[in-house]
């Protein structure tokens, strides 16, 4: 290697220099020649024009006078832009990580709270398990056997009882209700069996009291009238309420009506219907139909319909037609349940409407429709009657008034009303748990009078009462709950 021979590496050129001479070559080549340099430029740059970034490399001159340098260059330049993007991505990921970490800390705190709640529930469950009442081994078959024993006892008691059997008849109805309620609970909510056991115990106590009073003298009560028959002397008593269920729209829908379609041509058939009002307590917009009571209880096989003109809870269904008060008017509409169409509308002559004379504690029921063994009725008031109740018999086809009766009972002082065999029965509120059937008007005789028949209720207000002639039951809408009452009738007077 010649003294004074060295190579300079720089971008974009590589320089080899001997005394007074300079050669250049492409950076991708490891050998350089003076001919390559001489062809690229006619003048030689001085040493002072070489970039300060050049590096020294040891070289030598071969036999042909060519400068030879051996160097190693990297494949690519340093990726500065990619590194910057990587740093930015790392920063974003760091922020996301911090955010998720804060969420995890919140979740850890919530988990700690829920652990305490679960611990408290565990303690409460252990206490319940140690209690004498088992909530997991409720035996419905045992309850059924107890009810059947009471049914046998009541039959024997009726056969051997001397005197009035009013109490015995009422007990028989309550036992029948108990049997139905047990069957419903078996398919629905088994926890309510404890309440049933308490009811059974109370009934057994009352049966024992009846057995102890067998010797009382008095007339023997006749059997109940045939379904759909008016061979009785009116209502004598009412059973305790049988709670069917909460209405299908929920607890917020406190106003409405429900019942079962009565058709003289098909008395044993008939749809069950539920018509809750909107939460304003005025508008009837949706109603639901069920073919059987089981379907209604299980909320299955329902037919839902919507109308835009219903008002108040004075709705009834008769012979597959629903009858409602047309919104904001004194008209009555007849709706075909097969197609949900209003086929007939008719004005009720002189009827007050829009809360002029509605029931006590229930708005928008100035026009209250009713059904009994004799057909379709409407209960309302007029200005001429000074708010007293008016009863009209309607033609169920045309809605024309056939006959009208005027009572002396002020309608706004009545909580609700219904018809049985052409007799109007009116109720009033005694307290938050009791209603009383206190008034009647018999359209067959024109007589009216006072009664004192107590009806228990589940909630404070009764929104509607409908009667079904075949079942001889009252269908009551009680602050959103659907109730049933069995009726006990007097012997028909001679």
């Amino acid at each position: 290697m010649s003294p004074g021979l060295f190579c300079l590496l720089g971008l974009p050129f590589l320089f080899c220099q001997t005394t007074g001479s300079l050669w250049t070559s492409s950076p991708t080549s490891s050998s350089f020649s003076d001919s390559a340099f001489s062809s690229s430029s006619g003048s030689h740059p001085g040493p002072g024009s070489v970039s300060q970034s050049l590096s020294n490399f040891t070289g030598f001159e071969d036999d042909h006078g060519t400068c030879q340098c051996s160097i190693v260059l990297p494949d690519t330049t340093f990726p500065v832009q990619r590194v910057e993007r990587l740093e930015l991505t790392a920063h974003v990921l760091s922020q996301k990580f911090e955010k998720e970490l804060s969420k995890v800390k919140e979740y850890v705190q919530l988990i700690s709270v829920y652990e305490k709640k679960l611990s408290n529930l565990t303690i409460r469950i252990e206490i319940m398990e140690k209690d004498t009442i088992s909530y997991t081994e409720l035996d419905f078959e045992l309850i059924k056997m107890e009810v059947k024993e009471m049914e046998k006892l009541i039959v024997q008691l009726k056969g051997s009882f001397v005197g009035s059997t009013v109490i015995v008849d009422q007990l028989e109805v309550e036992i029948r209700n108990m049997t139905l309620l047990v069957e419903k609970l078996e398919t629905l909510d088994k926890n309510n069996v404890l309440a049933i056991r308490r009811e059974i115990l109370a009934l057994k106590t009352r049966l024992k009291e009846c057995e102890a009073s067998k010797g009382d003298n008095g007339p023997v009560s006749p059997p109940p009238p045939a379904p759909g028959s008016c061979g009785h002397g009116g209502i004598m008593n009412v059973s305790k309420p049988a709670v069917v269920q909460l209405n299908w729209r929920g607890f917020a829908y406190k106003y409405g009506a429900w019942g079962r379609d009565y058709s003289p041509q098909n008395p044993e058939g008939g749809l069950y219907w539920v018509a809750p009002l909107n939460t304003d307590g005025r508008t009837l917009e949706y109603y639901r139909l069920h073919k059987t009571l089981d379907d209604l209880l299980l909320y299955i096989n329902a037919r839902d319909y919507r109308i835009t003109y219903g008002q108040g809870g004075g709705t009834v269904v008769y012979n597959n037609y629903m009858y409602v008060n047309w919104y904001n008017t004194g008209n009555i509409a007849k709706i075909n349940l097969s197609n949900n169409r209003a086929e007939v509308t008719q004005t009720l002559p002189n009827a007050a409407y829009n809360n002029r004379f509605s029931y006590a504690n229930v708005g928008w029921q100035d026009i209250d429709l009713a059904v009994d063994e004799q057909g379709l009725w409407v209960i309302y008031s007029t200005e001429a009657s000074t708010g007293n109740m008016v009863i009209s018999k309607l033609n169920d086809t045309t809605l024309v008034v056939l006959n009208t009766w005027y009572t002396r009972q002020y309608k706004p002082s009545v909580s609700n009303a219904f018809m049985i065999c052409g007799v109007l029965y009116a109720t009033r509120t005694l307290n938050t748990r009791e209603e009383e059937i206190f008034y009647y008007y018999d359209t067959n005789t024109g007589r009216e009078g006072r009664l004192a028949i107590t009806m228990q209720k589940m909630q404070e207000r009764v929104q509607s009462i409908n009667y079904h002639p075949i079942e001889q039951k009252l269908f009551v809408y009680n602050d959103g709950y659907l109730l049933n009452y069995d009726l006990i009738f007097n012997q028909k007077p001679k």
Side-chain angles (χ1 to χ4, degrees):
M1 179 173 59
S2 301
L5 177 67
F6 61 91
C7 295
L8 298 176
L9 176 62
L11 297 176
F13 297 104
L14 180 68
F15 299 90
C16 268
Q17 181 177 343
T18 59
T19 304
S21 300
L22 183 65
W23 294 269
T24 65
S25 179
S26 169
T28 58
S29 174
S30 59
S31 61
F32 309 90
S33 65
D34 54 351
S35 59
F37 172 74
S38 60
S39 63
S40 62
S41 176
S43 63
H44 302 293
S49 65
V50 179
S51 172
Q52 295 300 320
S53 63
L54 300 179
S55 301
N56 292 330
F57 286 85
T58 304
F60 64 94
E61 186 178 358
D62 62 8
D63 297 339
H64 303 288
T66 304
C67 179
Q68 300 288 338
C69 294
S70 297
I71 62 173
V72 178
L73 296 176
D75 293 338
T76 59
T77 58
F78 187 75
V80 177
Q81 293 180 346
R82 292 177 61 187
V83 170
E84 289 178 348
R85 288 197 299 269
L86 183 62
E87 288 180 347
L88 181 61
T89 303
H91 180 67
V92 172
L93 289 174
S94 176
Q95 290 180 333
K96 290 183 177 179
F97 176 77
E98 291 295 334
K99 186 177 180 180
E100 295 300 325
L101 185 62
S102 64
K103 289 182 179 180
V104 170
K105 291 178 180 178
E106 292 178 3
Y107 294 153
V108 170
Q109 293 177 350
L110 288 174
I111 289 172
S112 176
V113 173
Y114 289 140
E115 283 179 346
K116 292 179 181 178
K117 289 183 177 181
L118 285 172
S119 177
N120 291 335
L121 286 173
T122 303
I123 295 172
R124 291 171 62 185
I125 291 172
E126 288 176 352
I127 294 173
M128 290 170 64
E129 287 178 342
K130 293 176 183 179
D131 198 6
T132 55
I133 301 175
S134 173
Y135 287 80
T136 57
E137 298 179 357
L138 296 171
D139 189 355
F140 280 94
E141 293 302 321
L142 181 59
I143 295 177
K144 288 180 180 179
M145 290 175 61
E146 292 176 0
V147 174
K148 286 180 180 178
E149 288 176 0
M150 286 193 294
E151 288 177 345
K152 292 179 181 178
L153 181 58
I154 202 71
V155 171
Q156 295 175 359
L157 194 59
K158 287 183 70 176
S160 58
F161 201 91
V162 178
S164 176
T165 60
V166 174
I167 298 176
V168 178
D169 291 337
Q170 185 175 356
L171 285 171
E172 185 178 20
V173 171
E174 292 181 12
I175 291 171
R176 194 186 312 146
N177 282 340
M178 188 70 64
T179 303
L180 295 173
L181 192 54
V182 169
E183 291 175 357
K184 294 172 188 175
L185 289 174
E186 190 172 7
T187 58
L188 298 174
D189 186 5
K190 295 186 177 181
N191 289 334
N192 283 334
V193 173
L194 295 174
I196 298 301
R197 288 186 182 276
R198 298 187 188 103
E199 291 284 345
I200 289 174
L201 182 60
L203 285 173
K204 284 183 175 179
T205 302
R206 294 176 65 185
L207 281 171
K208 289 179 181 179
E209 292 174 355
C210 286
E211 280 189 303
S213 61
K214 277 184 180 181
D216 294 343
N217 295 323
V220 178
S221 178
S229 167
C230 290
H232 55 77
I235 299 176
M236 180 177 65
N237 211 341
V238 179
S239 72
K240 289 184 179 180
V243 182
V244 177
Q245 63 178 191
L246 182 65
N247 80 88
W248 60 279
R249 297 190 71 184
F251 184 75
Y253 297 85
K254 293 180 177 293
Y255 294 85
W258 85 291
R260 187 182 182 189
D261 177 21
Y262 171 61
S263 174
Q265 292 76 27
N266 183 24
E268 297 297 333
L271 298 168
Y272 289 87
W273 57 274
V274 185
L277 303 183
N278 289 352
T279 52
D280 61 3
R282 177 182 183 180
T283 308
L284 171 57
E285 186 175 5
Y286 297 97
Y287 65 91
R288 174 174 283 188
L289 306 177
H290 294 275
K291 287 186 177 180
T292 66
L293 181 60
D294 288 342
D295 288 350
L296 185 148
L297 291 171
L298 299 174
Y299 300 98
I300 60 174
N301 301 324
R303 289 161 48 196
D304 294 340
Y305 293 101
R306 179 177 182 266
I307 58 177
T308 58
Y309 45 80
Q311 176 171 280
T315 305
V316 294
V317 174
Y318 179 66
N319 205 16
N320 202 46
Y321 285 90
M322 178 176 281
Y323 298 86
V324 301
N325 175 207
W326 193 283
Y327 191 87
N328 205 36
T329 71
N331 298 344
I332 300 172
K334 175 183 177 182
I335 305 169
N336 190 333
L337 295 183
S338 299
N339 53 29
N340 194 38
R341 293 179 182 175
E343 296 188 352
V344 180
T345 58
Q346 185 68 253
T347 301
L348 184 61
N350 303 317
Y353 59 92
N354 281 0
N355 265 348
R356 175 61 175 140
F357 297 117
S358 188
Y359 290 127
N361 303 321
V362 182
W364 311 105
Q365 208 166 328
D366 304 71
I367 297 175
D368 185 19
L369 293 139
V371 170
D372 70 356
E373 292 84 353
Q374 299 179 11
L376 181 64
W377 301 81
V378 60
I379 305 163
Y380 59 105
S381 293
T382 66
E383 295 295 342
S385 72
T386 63
N388 288 345
M389 301 178 79
V390 179
I391 310 165
S392 288
K393 182 73 170 63
L394 298 179
N395 182 308
D396 62 280
T397 303
T398 64
L399 300 182
V400 172
V401 174
L402 302 177
N403 205 347
T404 299
W405 296 262
Y406 296 90
T407 76
R408 290 182 291 178
Q409 178 60 48
Y410 188 55
K411 189 170 183 285
S413 68
V414 172
S415 61
N416 226 277
F418 56 95
M419 301 291 297
I420 298 178
C421 292
V423 179
L424 168 75
Y425 293 92
T427 63
R428 64 183 175 188
T429 300
L430 295 181
N431 52 56
T432 59
R433 285 293 179 266
E434 289 181 321
E435 294 279 306
E436 181 185 53
I437 303 174
F438 76 102
Y439 172 82
Y440 76 91
Y441 184 95
D442 190 347
T443 63
N444 303 294
T445 63
R447 294 179 180 176
E448 58 186 334
R450 298 291 172 176
L451 298 169
I453 302 173
T454 302
M455 296 174 58
Q456 297 183 19
K457 55 187 178 181
M458 302 302 297
Q459 299 293 325
E460 184 173 348
R461 292 184 177 89
V462 170
Q463 281 74 29
S464 68
I465 303 176
N466 287 306
Y467 170 69
H468 192 271
I470 298 300
E471 294 194 30
Q472 294 179 336
K473 292 178 182 288
L474 297 180
F475 290 74
V476 177
Y477 198 98
N478 181 202
D479 277 342
Y481 286 91
L482 314 183
L483 309 184
N484 266 156
Y485 293 82
D486 286 307
L487 298 175
I488 301 168
F489 295 101
N490 280 305
Q491 183 181 8
K492 188 172 183 178
K494 296 180 181 179

